[in-house]
């Protein structure tokens, strides 16, 4: 077997504990930008900003070890050339901790207009100005070298749900061929900024167990520093998502981190941690915050609801960020009613604080050996609308 230098980075993963009551794990990833305690939730910073929160507040109040950026968005704006001039995304946005960039293998399908998928790659029309562009496994590797994230993703196709079996099968095989091209090209393209970058390949296969199994075996065989599961949380019932995660985590190497892309609700996160997933990202805490939806350990709140208009209790008395006790529900409801941007900022900090609290708490319970019972209690408790 050929050993590709591209798949060797300085990344390390130490697995601290396996939970006796589930497949949950606690670990520590180390890269050139520091450590990441897993399980982790990565706040989404699509266009070099986690929407609605400053880097300083993000660090001091939410404190994530890693955030996410997007190749598709950053390539369109500010454009790769500007990021190169800045010395990479870390410097451009002044974030000195870890960053992971998605490859565009999802945004191209969900955002771009008039995309055409061929063996060579994808031709698409920008959702910003209608201009035409091509993404190939090769140029997506080059763009991600120039963005300079610590973890970079292979170029894949995320199939929609539902998806015809034959389409899913052909698409999965193409994703595998694209992975080989990503690895070969990355080998010829050294890192740009003096620190290493780990390439994570992505398992696809829609909601078909045999395809998921085949894809997980192919991806495991590539021998990367970490592996991702794509193509889920695209509209399938949660039970189907969990069934696919389980097939895949049973095959992916135990000693490497597993990243479930674009998931999900707090309940989805706990259920997938129980199945052996270590990393998550989702726009849900930030996007829903901007629509007035708050996640708490007792369920979700629609702060725009009239019932909060004279509720002068703290936003979340168990919350970990300063806004949770500094502001009342009545005040936040008022800010949403009059459409003040401060409302969205407060809700964003609260939700991100909650997601990070949730995964840290999960980690504590995995280490204590009682994750499964804690998870079941939390799932029941959070499944409410307040
Ligand atoms: N592929 C990539 N990014 C993603 C996904 C995927 O399948 C998903 C699926 N939920 C989210 N983000 N490259």
């Amino acid at each position: 077997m050929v050993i590709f230098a591209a798949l060797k980075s300085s990344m390390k993963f130490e697995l601290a504990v396996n939970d006796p009551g589930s497949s949950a794990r606690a670990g520590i990833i180390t890269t050139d930008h520091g450590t990441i305690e897993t399980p982790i939730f990565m706040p989404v910073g699509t266009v070099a900003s986690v929407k609605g929160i400053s880097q300083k507040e993000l660090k001091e109040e939410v404190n994530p070890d890693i955030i996410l950026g997007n190749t598709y968005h950053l390539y369109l704006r500010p454009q790769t050339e500007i990021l190169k001039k800045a010395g990479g995304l870390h410097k451009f946005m002044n974030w000195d901790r870890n960053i992971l960039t998605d490859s565009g293998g999802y945004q191209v399908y969900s955002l771009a207009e008039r995309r055409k998928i061929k063996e060579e790659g994808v031709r698409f029309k920008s959702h910003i100005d209608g201009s035409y562009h091509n993404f190939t496994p090769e140029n997506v590797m080059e763009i991600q070298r120039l963005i300079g994230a610590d973890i970079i993703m292979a170029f894949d196709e995320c199939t929609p749900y539902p998806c015809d079996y034959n389409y899913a099968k052909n698409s999965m095989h193409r994703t595998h061929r694209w992975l080989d091209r990503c690895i070969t090209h990355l080998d010829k393209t050294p890192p740009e900024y003096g620190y290493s970058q780990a390439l994570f390949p992505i398992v696809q296969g829609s909601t078909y167990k045999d395809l998921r199994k085949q894809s997980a075996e192919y991806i495991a065989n590539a021998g990367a520093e970490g592996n991702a599961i794509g193509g889920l949380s695209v509209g399938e019932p949660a039970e189907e998502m969990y069934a696919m995660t389980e097939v895949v985590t049973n095959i992916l190497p135990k000693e490497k981190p597993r990243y479930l892309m674009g998931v999900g609700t707090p309940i989805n996160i706990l259920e997938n941690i129980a199945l052996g997933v270590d990393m998550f990202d989702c726009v849900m805490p930030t996007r829903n915050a901007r629509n007035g939806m708050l996640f708490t350990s007792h369920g979700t709140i629609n702060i725009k609801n009239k019932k909060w208009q004279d509720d002068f209790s703290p936003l979340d008395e168990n919350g970990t960020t300063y806004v949770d006790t500094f502001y009342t529900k009545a005040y936040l409801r008022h800010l949403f009613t009059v459409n003040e941007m401060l409302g969205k900022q407060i809700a964003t900090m609260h939700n991100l604080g909650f997601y990070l609290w949730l995964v840290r708490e999960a980690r504590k319970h995995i280490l204590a050996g009682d994750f499964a019972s804690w998870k079941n209690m939390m799932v029941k408790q959070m499944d409410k609308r307040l």
Side-chain angles (χ1 to χ4, degrees):
M1 198 173 131
V2 188
I3 304 290
F4 287 98
L7 292 178
K8 299 290 151 223
S9 75
S10 61
M11 179 188 272
K12 288 192 182 59
F13 183 53
E14 282 170 70
L15 208 49
V17 171
N18 292 302
D19 179 54
S22 74
S23 301
R25 310 112 61 79
I28 300 177
I29 300 171
T30 309
T31 77
D32 293 333
H33 280 99
T35 57
I36 305 162
E37 295 198 346
T38 65
I40 183 70
F41 177 80
M42 306 179 276
V44 176
T46 303
V47 207
S49 147
V50 177
K51 287 188 202 306
I53 189 165
S54 71
Q55 281 78 329
K56 182 173 182 326
E57 286 177 321
L58 187 62
K59 231 184 205 181
E60 290 174 2
E61 296 293 330
V62 181
N63 199 21
D65 296 328
I66 178 167
I67 61 171
L68 194 118
N70 256 306
T71 299
Y72 172 85
H73 290 92
L74 295 168
Y75 161 83
L76 291 175
R77 293 182 309 191
Q79 301 187 344
T80 322
E81 193 190 314
I82 302 293
L83 291 173
K84 184 180 178 174
K85 271 193 191 162
L89 180 59
H90 289 88
K91 287 198 174 142
F92 184 59
M93 68 182 290
N94 200 7
W95 179 259
D96 58 6
R97 298 185 184 177
N98 284 284
I99 302 178
L100 177 151
T101 41
D102 196 358
S103 57
Y106 178 71
Q107 284 72 32
V108 146
Y109 308 104
S110 56
L111 291 175
E113 296 154 26
R114 269 193 248 164
R115 66 214 158 261
K116 208 173 203 166
I117 308 167
K118 290 190 174 161
E119 186 62 26
E120 175 58 19
V122 183
R123 182 167 171 76
F124 62 93
K125 197 171 172 219
S126 156
H127 73 291
I128 308 289
D129 63 2
S131 54
Y132 282 93
H133 304 266
N134 295 302
F135 271 175
T136 64
E138 288 80 14
N139 75 0
V140 163
M141 291 303 103
E142 286 169 17
I143 298 166
Q144 289 190 98
R145 281 295 199 211
L146 288 164
I147 296 172
D150 303 278
I151 301 175
I152 62 179
M153 302 304 300
F155 190 55
D156 61 331
E157 181 187 1
C158 174
T159 47
Y161 177 84
C163 183
D164 163 84
Y165 182 83
N166 275 323
Y167 188 91
K169 184 175 162 190
N170 291 335
S171 164
M172 175 197 78
H173 285 301
R174 188 169 47 226
T175 286
H176 296 168
R177 289 191 297 276
W178 283 356
L179 171 63
D180 294 347
R181 282 168 55 191
C182 286
I183 295 170
T184 306
H185 196 73
L186 202 60
D187 243 11
K188 298 184 218 154
T189 318
E192 197 72 25
Y193 307 113
Y195 51 85
S196 72
Q197 299 177 284
L199 175 71
F200 281 23
I202 306 173
V203 173
Q204 290 290 345
S206 186
T207 47
Y208 302 103
K209 277 193 181 171
D210 64 319
L211 297 183
R212 285 281 168 187
K213 185 165 175 285
Q214 213 180 327
S215 188
E217 282 164 358
Y218 193 93
I219 290 332
N221 217 16
E225 302 282 358
N227 300 294
I229 309 168
L232 293 177
S233 203
V234 289
E236 76 286 2
E239 293 314 317
E240 239 176 307
M241 177 204 323
Y242 303 148
M244 294 303 123
T245 301
E246 193 170 11
V247 169
V248 172
T249 51
N250 278 331
I251 296 168
L252 291 179
K254 297 233 172 314
E255 67 283 4
K256 300 288 166 69
R258 290 107 169 229
Y259 163 31
L260 180 56
M261 308 189 78
V263 173
T265 65
I267 292 174
N268 294 157
I269 289 177
L270 293 190
E271 294 294 1
N272 283 296
I273 288 175
L275 297 170
V277 174
D278 308 298
M279 303 164 72
F280 300 88
D281 80 283
C282 191
V283 294
M284 196 172 263
T286 39
R287 181 177 292 166
N288 291 19
R290 299 194 297 278
N291 295 320
M293 184 180 192
L294 306 189
F295 295 96
T296 80
S297 55
H298 293 95
T300 53
I301 292 178
N302 178 356
I303 203 67
K304 294 197 241 179
N305 204 309
K306 193 156 193 283
K307 77 188 260 197
W308 308 115
Q309 74 175 346
D310 59 353
D311 186 327
F312 303 106
S313 66
L315 272 191
D316 181 356
E317 64 234 6
N318 305 316
T320 55
T321 69
Y322 89 87
V323 297
D324 290 307
T325 45
F326 195 92
Y327 296 110
T328 65
K329 296 186 183 78
Y331 180 66
L332 185 59
R333 183 204 179 247
H334 161 74
L335 293 179
F336 270 92
T337 307
V338 297
N339 199 22
E340 278 292 320
M341 64 177 151
L342 179 60
K344 296 181 186 198
Q345 294 170 332
I346 292 170
T348 298
M349 189 186 293
H350 161 78
N351 276 353
L352 286 177
F354 176 69
Y355 265 63
L356 268 293
W357 171 83
L358 189 70
V359 292
R360 280 190 197 114
E361 210 57 21
R363 189 171 204 278
K364 276 192 213 156
H365 286 281
I366 297 167
L367 291 170
D370 64 356
F371 173 77
S373 58
W374 173 79
K375 184 266 289 178
N376 291 337
M377 184 272 293
M378 284 301 292
V379 164
K380 248 188 227 140
Q381 208 175 281
M382 292 190 297
D383 195 18
K384 287 191 198 108
R385 279 178 190 270
L386 302 176

